[in-house]
Amino acid sequence: MIMMFVGLSGHARWSATSHHFGVIAEDSGRVECCFTLLNDSSEAIAILSARTTCGCTLSDYPRDPIAPGDSAIVTVTFDPAGRPGQFTKYINVETTGTPSKTRLAISGTVIGSEATIAQRFPVDFGALRLVHNPILIGEVSGTRIRSVYSEGYNRSSDSIRVSINKAPKWLKANVAPSVVAPGNQLQIIFYIDPEKCPEYGLIEDSIAIAVDDQVRSINFMLNHTEDFSQLTDAQRANAPIAFIAQRRLDFGRISGGSHPQLTANIENRGNDRLIIRRVYSDSPAIKATVKSSSLKKGKSGEIIVEVDPMLISGSILNERITIITNDPANPVQHVRIVGSL
């Protein structure tokens, strides 16, 4: 095709290089627009290609040369299926004329169907739909701020104002944009400061988000771990070693009115001081405490585990407690807690 158009090098002028569709209903199907290329020169020109940047956008153009003073139409089709929110798509057109390369643009806003919105933004906050709740942050450690983000969508017919109403000290959040037009999306960026996290291990918390005059909660889960990466070989050789003799505490049969207790021993078999950062259980039926959170070399401490049978789900107790220490080799250890009602 290119060989056919050798010598065609007139002046190419576009009547417009952008088109705004406005608001499109996803259910209405494909939409199209036309871009006109005018040949203002005394020589013929030709369109060599019109490449789109997304599979949702198609282009069509005439393959024959455009005579002097004549024009040609590039037709662009956009498919809104599965693409709620604002969009901007580009079509890169190459011609034998001058300029040889032109970028056309289409834009608009797609009002998503109920099925698409429910699939892409499953969390219902009234006018606002979100992708995630809870937000699973994963592991954070050291001093470096970690950022994660989530997206939202205004499903209503009016603009909404979104703001962060309350957040824990270790977490900050920004909403952009703060005023969201109908059918448009927003992004919420969360910044987590490990140094301000209240404790090590699994942390669950929430922020309050205001959508106009309604306040909802977004929940978070993260795992705060200690950063041992800066330890020297000498420090590791002299580090504390947490040794737990009992890996399983069996409470046997537990009576309904009792709060039985058992003890697990933890010993520091290293050289440096052992710090017990946290002892906890994910089960509300189990309470774990330590008598001393600091153990010198060769010293032992007790982890006291208490069970509340009224909070056991079902008739079988099969849970665990998590022990977090400053032992760089094994900072997180577990003890299985079993029993029956």
CSV table of all heavy atoms in Angstrom, one decimal, residues 10 19 23 40 54 92 95 122 137 154 159 163-164 172 176 182 186 237 257 262 264 276 282 303 335-336:
chain,number,residue,atom,x,y,z
A,10,GLY,N,0.9,16.2,-0.4
A,10,GLY,CA,0.3,17.5,-0.3
A,10,GLY,C,0.0,17.9,1.2
A,10,GLY,O,0.4,17.2,2.1
A,19,HIS,N,-13.2,14.9,19.7
A,19,HIS,CA,-14.6,14.9,19.7
A,19,HIS,C,-15.1,14.4,21.1
A,19,HIS,O,-14.5,13.4,21.7
A,19,HIS,CB,-15.2,13.9,18.7
A,19,HIS,CG,-16.7,13.7,18.8
A,19,HIS,ND1,-17.5,14.6,18.2
A,19,HIS,CD2,-17.5,12.8,19.4
A,19,HIS,CE1,-18.8,14.2,18.4
A,19,HIS,NE2,-18.8,13.2,19.2
A,23,VAL,N,-22.3,12.5,27.8
A,23,VAL,CA,-22.7,11.4,28.6
A,23,VAL,C,-23.3,10.2,27.8
A,23,VAL,O,-24.2,10.5,27.0
A,23,VAL,CB,-23.7,11.8,29.7
A,23,VAL,CG1,-24.1,10.6,30.6
A,23,VAL,CG2,-23.0,12.9,30.6
A,40,ASP,N,-5.8,20.5,1.2
A,40,ASP,CA,-5.7,21.9,0.8
A,40,ASP,C,-4.7,22.2,-0.3
A,40,ASP,O,-4.5,23.4,-0.7
A,40,ASP,CB,-5.5,22.8,2.0
A,40,ASP,CG,-6.7,23.0,2.9
A,40,ASP,OD1,-7.8,22.7,2.4
A,40,ASP,OD2,-6.5,23.4,4.0
A,54,CYS,N,-6.8,1.3,22.0
A,54,CYS,CA,-7.6,0.5,22.9
A,54,CYS,C,-8.5,-0.4,22.1
A,54,CYS,O,-9.0,0.0,21.1
A,54,CYS,CB,-8.3,1.3,23.9
A,54,CYS,SG,-9.4,0.4,25.1
A,92,ASN,N,-4.1,7.3,16.3
A,92,ASN,CA,-2.9,7.8,15.7
A,92,ASN,C,-3.0,7.6,14.1
A,92,ASN,O,-3.0,6.5,13.7
A,92,ASN,CB,-1.7,7.2,16.2
A,92,ASN,CG,-1.5,7.4,17.7
A,92,ASN,OD1,-1.6,8.6,18.1
A,92,ASN,ND2,-1.3,6.4,18.5
A,95,THR,N,-0.5,9.9,7.4
A,95,THR,CA,-0.8,10.3,6.0
A,95,THR,C,0.5,10.5,5.2
A,95,THR,O,1.6,10.7,5.8
A,95,THR,CB,-1.7,11.5,6.0
A,95,THR,OG1,-1.0,12.7,6.2
A,95,THR,CG2,-2.9,11.4,6.9
A,122,PRO,N,-18.3,-3.5,43.8
A,122,PRO,CA,-19.3,-4.3,44.6
A,122,PRO,C,-19.7,-3.7,45.9
A,122,PRO,O,-20.7,-4.1,46.5
A,122,PRO,CB,-18.6,-5.6,44.7
A,122,PRO,CG,-17.1,-5.3,44.7
A,122,PRO,CD,-17.0,-4.1,43.7
A,137,ILE,N,-4.0,-4.3,53.2
A,137,ILE,CA,-2.8,-3.6,52.9
A,137,ILE,C,-1.6,-4.5,52.8
A,137,ILE,O,-0.6,-4.3,52.1
A,137,ILE,CB,-2.5,-2.6,54.1
A,137,ILE,CG1,-3.7,-1.5,54.0
A,137,ILE,CG2,-1.2,-1.9,53.9
A,137,ILE,CD1,-3.6,-0.6,55.2
A,154,ASN,N,-19.4,7.2,41.2
A,154,ASN,CA,-20.7,7.9,41.5
A,154,ASN,C,-21.8,7.3,40.7
A,154,ASN,O,-21.9,7.7,39.5
A,154,ASN,CB,-20.5,9.4,41.3
A,154,ASN,CG,-21.8,10.2,41.6
A,154,ASN,OD1,-22.8,9.6,42.1
A,154,ASN,ND2,-21.8,11.5,41.4
A,159,SER,N,-23.9,15.3,41.4
A,159,SER,CA,-22.5,15.3,41.9
A,159,SER,C,-22.5,15.0,43.4
A,159,SER,O,-23.5,15.4,44.1
A,159,SER,CB,-21.9,16.6,41.7
A,159,SER,OG,-21.7,16.9,40.3
A,163,SER,N,-15.2,13.0,51.4
A,163,SER,CA,-14.1,13.4,52.2
A,163,SER,C,-13.8,12.4,53.3
A,163,SER,O,-14.6,11.5,53.6
A,163,SER,CB,-14.4,14.8,52.8
A,163,SER,OG,-15.5,14.7,53.7
A,164,ILE,N,-12.6,12.4,53.8
A,164,ILE,CA,-12.2,11.6,54.9
A,164,ILE,C,-12.6,12.3,56.2
A,164,ILE,O,-12.2,13.4,56.5
A,164,ILE,CB,-10.7,11.3,54.9
A,164,ILE,CG1,-10.3,10.6,53.6
A,164,ILE,CG2,-10.3,10.3,56.1
A,164,ILE,CD1,-11.0,9.4,53.2
A,172,LYS,N,-3.1,8.0,56.7
A,172,LYS,CA,-3.7,9.2,56.0
A,172,LYS,C,-4.3,8.9,54.7
A,172,LYS,O,-3.9,7.9,54.1
A,172,LYS,CB,-2.6,10.3,55.9
A,172,LYS,CG,-2.1,10.9,57.2
A,172,LYS,CD,-1.1,12.0,56.9
A,172,LYS,CE,-0.6,12.6,58.2
A,172,LYS,NZ,0.4,13.7,58.0
A,176,ALA,N,-9.5,12.0,45.4
A,176,ALA,CA,-9.3,12.8,44.2
A,176,ALA,C,-10.2,12.3,43.1
A,176,ALA,O,-10.1,11.1,42.8
A,176,ALA,CB,-7.9,12.9,43.8
A,182,PRO,N,-21.7,12.9,38.2
A,182,PRO,CA,-22.5,11.7,37.9
A,182,PRO,C,-21.7,10.8,36.9
A,182,PRO,O,-21.2,11.3,35.9
A,182,PRO,CB,-23.8,12.2,37.4
A,182,PRO,CG,-23.9,13.6,37.9
A,182,PRO,CD,-22.6,14.1,38.0
A,186,LEU,N,-13.6,8.1,41.2
A,186,LEU,CA,-12.6,8.8,42.1
A,186,LEU,C,-11.6,7.8,42.5
A,186,LEU,O,-11.8,6.6,42.4
A,186,LEU,CB,-13.3,9.4,43.3
A,186,LEU,CG,-14.1,8.5,44.3
A,186,LEU,CD1,-13.1,7.8,45.3
A,186,LEU,CD2,-15.1,9.3,45.1
A,237,ALA,N,24.4,-12.5,65.5
A,237,ALA,CA,25.1,-13.6,66.3
A,237,ALA,C,24.7,-13.4,67.8
A,237,ALA,O,24.7,-14.4,68.6
A,237,ALA,CB,26.6,-13.6,66.1
A,257,GLY,N,-19.5,-22.5,82.7
A,257,GLY,CA,-19.3,-21.3,83.6
A,257,GLY,C,-17.9,-21.0,84.0
A,257,GLY,O,-17.7,-20.1,84.8
A,262,LEU,N,-4.2,-21.8,81.2
A,262,LEU,CA,-3.0,-22.6,81.1
A,262,LEU,C,-1.9,-21.7,80.8
A,262,LEU,O,-2.1,-20.6,80.3
A,262,LEU,CB,-3.2,-23.7,80.0
A,262,LEU,CG,-4.1,-24.9,80.3
A,262,LEU,CD1,-4.2,-25.8,79.0
A,262,LEU,CD2,-3.7,-25.7,81.5
A,264,ALA,N,2.1,-21.2,79.0
A,264,ALA,CA,3.2,-21.6,78.1
A,264,ALA,C,4.4,-20.8,78.5
A,264,ALA,O,4.4,-19.6,78.8
A,264,ALA,CB,2.8,-21.3,76.7
A,276,ILE,N,9.2,-9.2,74.2
A,276,ILE,CA,8.0,-9.8,73.7
A,276,ILE,C,7.1,-8.6,73.2
A,276,ILE,O,6.6,-7.8,74.0
A,276,ILE,CB,7.2,-10.6,74.8
A,276,ILE,CG1,8.2,-11.7,75.3
A,276,ILE,CG2,5.9,-11.2,74.2
A,276,ILE,CD1,7.6,-12.5,76.4
A,282,ASP,N,-6.6,-14.3,67.4
A,282,ASP,CA,-7.7,-13.8,66.5
A,282,ASP,C,-9.1,-14.2,67.1
A,282,ASP,O,-10.1,-13.6,66.6
A,282,ASP,CB,-7.5,-14.3,65.1
A,282,ASP,CG,-6.3,-13.9,64.4
A,282,ASP,OD1,-5.8,-12.8,64.8
A,282,ASP,OD2,-5.7,-14.6,63.6
A,303,ILE,N,3.5,-17.1,79.5
A,303,ILE,CA,2.3,-16.6,78.7
A,303,ILE,C,1.1,-17.3,79.3
A,303,ILE,O,0.9,-18.5,79.2
A,303,ILE,CB,2.5,-17.0,77.2
A,303,ILE,CG1,3.8,-16.4,76.7
A,303,ILE,CG2,1.3,-16.5,76.4
A,303,ILE,CD1,4.2,-16.8,75.3
A,335,VAL,N,1.2,-20.8,69.2
A,335,VAL,CA,0.9,-21.9,70.1
A,335,VAL,C,-0.6,-22.3,69.8
A,335,VAL,O,-1.5,-21.4,69.8
A,335,VAL,CB,1.0,-21.5,71.5
A,335,VAL,CG1,0.5,-22.7,72.4
A,335,VAL,CG2,2.5,-21.2,71.8
A,336,ARG,N,-0.8,-23.6,69.5
A,336,ARG,CA,-2.2,-24.1,69.2
A,336,ARG,C,-2.9,-24.2,70.5
A,336,ARG,O,-2.4,-24.7,71.5
A,336,ARG,CB,-2.1,-25.4,68.5
A,336,ARG,CG,-3.4,-26.0,68.1
A,336,ARG,CD,-4.2,-25.2,67.2
A,336,ARG,NE,-3.5,-24.8,65.9
A,336,ARG,CZ,-4.1,-24.1,65.0
A,336,ARG,NH1,-5.3,-23.5,65.1
A,336,ARG,NH2,-3.4,-23.8,63.9
